Amino acid sequence: MSNKVISISGYSGNGNQFLVKSSQISLGISNSVAGEEDKIPSPAEYLLAGFAGSINAVGKLVAIELGVELKSLEVQVSGELETKKSEGIKTRSRAGFRKIEVVIKPTSDAPLDALKQWMDEVKERCPLRDNLINETPVSLTLLKEYNAA
C-alpha cells in the first residue's frame, strides 16, 4: 500500500468543545488539555485512544497473517501528562506525555512463543507507536482572515 493522506478540520464550538470533521466522522473534543472535568474526551485521551485503536487494528491483522486466533483483545493505555507548560507555567519539562504505558491482553489458545512473535510484529508495524517513539516533522501555518471594508 502506498502513502495515504488523512485530513480533518476542526473549529471551536459552543461551550468547552472543539468540533472535528472528516469525510467519515464528526466528533467533539474537550477544550481542556487533560480533560479534568469534561464529559467529552480531551485531546490527550483521544491520542491514547487512537494509539490503542491502532494497536487493536494492527494486532488483528497480524493475528490473521500469523494464524493466531484471538478470541478477544484488550488494550490498556495510560500516560503521565505534564500540564505545566500548556497552562503557561514556566518549566524545563516538555509539554506532553512524560511516559506512556501499554498493556496488551490477548485472549487466545496460542502458545506463548506465538504470542510473543505476534506482539513483536504488532510493535514493529503499529503506525501510531512509530509516530510516538520517533520524531515526525510537523509544520504549523498561520492564516489570518482579512475582512475587506
Side-chain angles (χ1 to χ4, degrees):
M1 180 182 260
S2 63
N3 294 340
K4 179 179 181 179
V5 175
I6 299 171
S7 298
I8 63 97
S9 181
Y11 57 93
S12 293
N14 294 331
N16 194 26
Q17 206 173 157
F18 185 69
L19 304 172
V20 176
K21 292 187 180 208
S22 75
S23 62
Q24 303 290 324
I25 57 105
S26 194
L27 56 91
I29 300 175
S30 167
N31 279 335
S32 170
V33 173
E36 291 84 17
E37 297 179 21
D38 293 314
K39 294 182 181 181
I40 59 174
S42 70
E45 290 167 321
Y46 270 113
L47 186 140
L48 296 181
F51 187 21
S54 184
I55 290 169
N56 177 71
V58 173
K60 288 184 171 194
L61 179 64
V62 170
I64 291 168
E65 292 172 3
L66 295 178
V68 172
E69 183 184 344
L70 294 178
K71 295 176 184 170
S72 68
L73 179 58
E74 180 180 351
V75 181
Q76 299 173 342
V77 183
S78 62
E80 182 181 320
L81 185 65
E82 170 60 77
T83 60
K84 289 179 186 172
K85 191 166 272 190
S86 64
E87 294 168 353
I89 299 169
K90 299 275 187 208
T91 180
R92 290 184 175 172
S93 298
R94 293 175 50 215
F97 286 104
R98 291 177 175 254
K99 67 179 179 178
I100 296 174
E101 296 178 351
V102 180
V103 176
I104 301 173
K105 298 179 178 181
T107 302
S108 176
D109 293 330
L112 185 57
D113 61 331
L115 289 174
K116 285 180 180 179
Q117 178 187 7
W118 168 79
M119 178 133 165
D120 288 344
E121 188 73 18
V122 171
K123 285 181 0 186
E124 178 67 26
R125 292 172 50 181
C126 179
L128 270 63
R129 179 180 177 273
D130 184 88
N131 282 121
L132 288 169
I133 65 172
N134 295 302
E135 188 173 320
T136 301
V138 176
S139 66
L140 297 173
T141 303
L142 172 66
L143 295 177
K144 176 151 177 23
E145 187 175 313
Y146 289 95
N147 293 327

